[in-house]
Amino acid sequence: MVFTGIGAKRNNYLINDFLDNEQIEKSIYKYCQLPPESYQIKIDSLAFLKKEKLSAFVKKYKPSSFFEKIVKTNNEYSYYFSKEVYPLWHHGDSKRDILKSLTKDFYNYRKNINYNDDSLKENFIYNSFLKSSFNNLALQTHFEHSDKENAFRRSSLCYNLDRLKLIDSLVSNKFIKDDLLYHFTVSYLSRSKNTESNQAILESYLSRSKNEKGKKMMTRFTNSLNKLKEGSNIPNIQIVDYKNSEHSINSIIKSPTVISFWSHSFYDHFKESHYKINELKEKYPEVKFISINIDDYGLEKCKTSLNNNRFSCSDEYHFKNPEESIEILAIHPMTKTMIIDEHQKIVNSNTNIFSMRFEEQLLGLINR
């Protein structure tokens, strides 16, 4: 997409800058495996190139000071983002040692950071920085009181509680705070299978958030997750096939089954997940693979999407009551996949067909 007309140069600059940042992020992930001094040189070089690019644009097109401020702010927070992700993206086993290896001035910019900038509350780069920053700040806080002999785990309840506490202490802007608290709480819950830990995270979230709607949604989400424990029966929700016939989900599970979900809102995932499922179907004929659309767009739109991509409508369904079913099955993130045995018992309520361990999980299902 490109713009023409008044303001076209500025809009196209911002679009290209966004696309460049996506590519730079991939490079940063590789650079994060370097020692701190070498990493610093790499990201400083990237920051210099961005500065030179803006300088040339300003000299040639003389944009407004407001435009220049936007780009400078994006560049600054993009640089800060690359600093914050270094310890967690580094492949080293000891995150504690990685933090200790950093120079004393590595995070000097933090003293000038505004964690409550209302003018940037919907800025993508600023929000990416905030999330990576609280990941890193919580890591440092976590090591102040955690057992030195234990390896760091992102799924640690203690670490996740530390992160919510830090957000509460550093962020006062209601919109930004609620967004961060909600994001990290959902992220933890969607990957946790421990009901006691789920309750602890939920209580921490509820005590800090001021968003009443979000609190109600989070409580329902947690309750749904806790009902999807291993060995529980899968909730018997109603689904509809592409001949417009209605079924209870239990009625179609008569063998080891994998249930995945898709949405038009995540179109790349829709296509890639179906390619992956077709590959898995050939390798594991003993397993039934069903795919459910979660949208409320009606039968024909879903059927058209499947046909246009040359995907079979066999073993494809959509929810009779999407909103209710999404809540009952706690569908988040979109990559969520469920493994069910032939007795309609849950084996895994939240796995991922793209995971390196997924086929190992399938073999365990087949050999039960």
Side-chain angles (χ1 to χ4, degrees), residues 88-180:
L88 284 163
W89 284 10
H90 194 290
H91 286 168
D93 290 332
S94 175
K95 301 301 180 188
R96 194 189 301 271
D97 289 343
I98 292 168
L99 285 174
K100 287 180 179 179
S101 72
L102 302 178
T103 58
K104 290 183 179 180
D105 62 350
F106 195 81
Y107 291 119
N108 269 2
Y109 62 86
R110 283 179 179 169
K111 59 188 176 186
N112 298 316
I113 291 296
N114 181 1
Y115 293 98
N116 299 281
D117 196 328
D118 196 65
S119 67
L120 295 176
K121 65 183 180 183
E122 295 182 358
N123 180 291
F124 177 80
I125 295 175
Y126 178 67
N127 281 295
S128 295
F129 159 75
L130 287 178
K131 288 167 185 172
S132 61
S133 181
F134 280 107
N135 283 337
N136 199 12
L137 288 167
L139 179 66
Q140 294 170 301
T141 301
H142 181 65
F143 284 144
E144 291 173 6
H145 58 78
S146 63
D147 187 342
K148 293 184 179 181
E149 300 304 317
N150 289 340
F152 169 72
R153 293 179 298 110
R154 286 176 185 253
S155 59
S156 158
L157 173 63
C158 180
Y159 167 70
N160 282 272
L161 289 172
D162 284 339
R163 186 165 51 193
L164 296 187
K165 185 177 180 180
L166 271 170
I167 292 168
D168 191 35
S169 67
L170 294 176
V171 184
S172 57
N173 181 286
K174 184 178 182 300
F175 182 94
I176 296 173
K177 177 183 280 191
D178 284 339
D179 184 64
L180 288 170

Side-chain angles (χ1 to χ4, degrees), residues 155-304:
S155 59
S156 158
L157 173 63
C158 180
Y159 167 70
N160 282 272
L161 289 172
D162 284 339
R163 186 165 51 193
L164 296 187
K165 185 177 180 180
L166 271 170
I167 292 168
D168 191 35
S169 67
L170 294 176
V171 184
S172 57
N173 181 286
K174 184 178 182 300
F175 182 94
I176 296 173
K177 177 183 280 191
D178 284 339
D179 184 64
L180 288 170
L181 290 173
Y182 191 92
H183 167 78
F184 285 120
T185 303
V186 167
S187 295
Y188 177 84
L189 289 170
S190 64
R191 291 167 174 79
S192 171
K193 295 180 174 64
N194 186 304
T195 55
E196 291 183 4
S197 296
N198 289 355
Q199 192 60 34
I201 284 288
L202 175 64
E203 289 175 4
S204 179
Y205 167 79
L206 294 177
S207 70
R208 293 178 165 86
S209 175
K210 298 296 187 291
N211 186 330
E212 294 304 319
K213 181 179 179 181
K215 289 160 77 170
K216 289 177 182 177
M217 289 175 63
M218 196 68 71
T219 301
R220 294 199 301 269
F221 182 64
T222 305
N223 290 338
S224 294
L225 283 170
N226 289 342
K227 292 176 182 176
L228 298 173
K229 294 185 296 185
E230 181 180 345
S232 301
N233 289 315
I234 181 171
N236 199 16
I237 59 177
Q238 299 301 112
I239 54 178
V240 182
D241 65 25
Y242 287 87
K243 294 180 182 178
N244 208 25
S245 297
E246 188 176 323
H247 310 265
S248 63
I249 198 166
N250 282 350
S251 69
I252 64 170
I253 299 176
K254 297 179 170 39
S255 61
T257 300
V258 169
I259 305 173
S260 59
F261 308 93
W262 66 275
S263 168
H264 289 92
S265 300
F266 301 89
Y267 203 71
D268 286 345
H269 169 262
F270 155 62
K271 292 192 292 185
E272 294 304 318
S273 62
H274 278 74
Y275 292 138
K276 183 66 176 179
I277 288 168
N278 286 340
E279 173 192 319
L280 291 169
K281 281 181 177 179
E282 291 188 15
K283 292 178 71 173
Y284 302 97
E286 313 96 319
V287 179
K288 183 181 183 69
F289 292 84
I290 71 172
S291 187
I292 303 176
N293 176 263
I294 71 169
D295 301 323
D296 195 14
Y297 296 152
L299 182 69
E300 290 308 314
K301 182 173 176 62
C302 297
K303 187 185 291 187
T304 298

Side-chain angles (χ1 to χ4, degrees), residues 71-89:
V71 178
K72 282 183 176 178
T73 300
N74 285 348
N75 288 348
E76 285 175 2
Y77 279 105
S78 179
Y79 178 73
Y80 299 156
F81 168 86
S82 65
K83 287 268 197 167
E84 296 292 346
V85 298
Y86 178 72
L88 284 163
W89 284 10

